[in-house]
Amino acid sequence: EDIIHNSDTNTKIRFPGPDQFSIETAGSQRLLTRADGRIQITSGDFEVIGAEGGNAEIRLTADEGDDGADYWRVQSAASGNNLNIASYVSGSWVDKVSITTGGAIGINETNPQNSLHISGSAPAIRFADSDANGSAFSIIEDNNGLLKLRNDAGNGGTGSGIAFEVDGSERLRITNTGDVNIGGEYTQTDSRVHIQDVTRPLQEGTLTLSSESTTDGAANNGAVLRFYGHDGSTPRYQASIRGAKENGTSGNYAAYMAFNTRPAGGSMTERFRITSDGKFGFNKTD
């Protein structure tokens, strides 16, 4: 039954069935409120226009009253800035997601500085399949190539570790037992840390320990590799190897290698040294 019919514009407001309400234009139904309370837009676009100088917004609420107990709000600023999705928390609106006109997305961040900007006390991204295992991964692509962080178990791995890929090749794997493998031979399990490399000349390195930030050029400046164990009651440093500068002359890079052990009740003590000119010294530091 029609309640309003404008014959000049062929616009009708009708009750087409029990507990239904519809609006028709140009002979076609545009909007229908159904008996179950749902609203159906059958053609055309749905547009929300805010007051001049104000914001356009849609609110989703489970409260039929007007006491401010809304749950979610989607709002677009009249100035053409962010599209904000907010929730109603403790009596006020709190923005949760913001999308700028440039396409940047902020999560708990209303002024995103990157394509995806996540803020919070412990921001994180988690990807998981239905059993929270398998080939979960994240991908970041930039001008320098592709970086992928993946769940090791989903790519032929033996556990639920983490693997890092760069430009389509795996470069580092951390197993679920804490073993670290860098560069290849990812089935190696007899070392806590395994570094795979090609044969390098003496002036290059597979592993480099650096003290480069110490720039005063004094004697004995250099990096130290220490070995740590347990004496049965307390963790202790047990031995070390040091490569260091022999002299305090600026620009003179002559260096020695020293092997050090630790006696009971004492500190680390040098036991053997190889000097820059190939001489050996036992229990002697010069």
Side-chain angles (χ1 to χ4, degrees), residues 34-100:
R34 297 163 39 148
D36 56 10
R38 288 182 288 178
I39 298 175
Q40 177 179 331
I41 299 175
T42 54
S43 62
D45 298 324
F46 178 70
E47 183 175 2
V48 178
I49 302 175
E52 185 174 354
N55 300 324
E57 66 180 41
I58 300 173
R59 296 192 182 190
L60 305 176
T61 180
D63 194 329
E64 295 181 358
D66 191 24
D67 57 3
D70 302 274
Y71 291 100
W72 290 97
R73 179 183 71 187
V74 180
Q75 184 183 76
S76 177
S79 59
N81 293 327
N82 295 2
L83 174 69
N84 297 319
I85 301 175
S87 65
Y88 200 74
V89 180
S90 301
S92 62
W93 288 104
V94 179
D95 288 325
K96 301 298 185 181
V97 179
S98 297
I99 306 174
T100 70

Side-chain angles (χ1 to χ4, degrees), residues 88 159 203 221:
Y88 200 74
Q203 66 269 23
N221 281 341

Side-chain angles (χ1 to χ4, degrees), residues 14-43:
R14 305 181 58 206
F15 293 104
D19 299 319
Q20 291 185 342
F21 172 82
S22 72
I23 297 176
E24 296 181 6
T25 62
S28 298
Q29 180 176 280
R30 307 302 183 184
L31 181 145
L32 173 68
T33 60
R34 297 163 39 148
D36 56 10
R38 288 182 288 178
I39 298 175
Q40 177 179 331
I41 299 175
T42 54
S43 62

Side-chain angles (χ1 to χ4, degrees), residues 226-231 234-240 259-271:
R226 291 201 294 186
F227 300 88
Y228 191 70
H230 204 283
D231 65 9
T234 308
R236 299 282 186 181
Y237 288 106
Q238 299 170 331
S240 68
F259 296 80
N260 316 287
T261 62
R262 185 176 190 178
S267 58
M268 208 76 74
T269 302
E270 183 175 327
R271 303 302 186 187

